[in-house]
Amino acid sequence: SAILSFKPHPRQFFSRDLDRYQIIGEKNKQEKLKKLGVDNLFSLHFDESVANLSPADFVQKIIVEKLQVNKLMVGYDFRFGKNREGDILFLQDCANIHGFDLIIIEQIKDDKTTQVYSSSAIREAIKTGNMEEANQMLGYAWFMEGIVVHGDKRARKMNFPTANISPHDQIYPLKGVYAIKTLINHKYINGIANFGERPTVDGKKLLLEV
């Protein structure tokens, strides 16, 4: 089994305003997929040449020649190729021509709320601070990661030291204070975190302070 991913995400390639677009970091994505039993993860570098491939060329050059796919699974709203011209119907024709099986993953909804599970809905829930909804759709508690950086050690003087984390390229949650669980030395510890600029101490740099 294998998953084909794009790096950067095509929407990030076309819009620099979407720098903070990833729900999960690349390393953690690889680890989660491995635990799910995926044998291979192919990360296709998305550039101008890939963006300009017609749907037919994308199938021929990437799906058939490079990956030699026997069975392909895509979501119901999958679009591909230049200007996103390729759709499920076109892909079904390609499957018939090239002799691979095509499986369509139909829309998945929450039975109670009728909320459609999608990466767009997850991003929106994270950005608006609705973490319970985001976690429900993800199937796990969403988390941020980054490099711990030195602060001014004010909290340490109050016997309440914090870790200042400079966030990486993941999507930013709503600024504010969160109840969290922190994983330290393989043990989960209850904690509290602030995501923002810390205006009370003249802070201007965006930090996750845990």
Side-chain angles (χ1 to χ4, degrees), residues 161-175:
T162 62
N164 299 312
I165 299 172
S166 182
H168 279 191
D169 58 356
Q170 286 175 256
I171 190 171
Y172 284 162
L174 183 69
K175 293 177 184 177

Side-chain angles (χ1 to χ4, degrees), residues 11-42:
R11 293 196 180 185
Q12 286 179 293
F13 177 80
F14 289 112
S15 176
R16 298 307 301 170
D17 294 335
L18 294 176
D19 275 351
R20 304 292 171 182
Y21 198 70
Q22 299 298 342
I23 295 171
I24 185 173
E26 189 69 20
K27 180 182 176 182
N28 286 308
K29 178 170 69 174
Q30 292 173 9
E31 289 176 353
K32 281 193 172 292
L33 291 175
K34 187 176 181 179
K35 288 179 181 178
L36 288 171
V38 176
D39 297 313
N40 297 289
L41 171 62
F42 297 107

Side-chain angles (χ1 to χ4, degrees), residues 8 23 28 33 37 49 73 75 79 85 93 95 100 107 120 123 132 181 192 198 207 209-210:
I23 295 171
N28 286 308
L33 291 175
S49 61
M73 300 176 70
R79 307 289 299 220
E85 293 171 353
D93 290 339
F100 60 83
Q107 189 181 78
S120 297
R123 289 186 182 92
E132 288 185 358
K181 286 186 180 295
I192 191 167
R198 302 190 301 168
L207 286 173
E209 188 177 19
V210 180

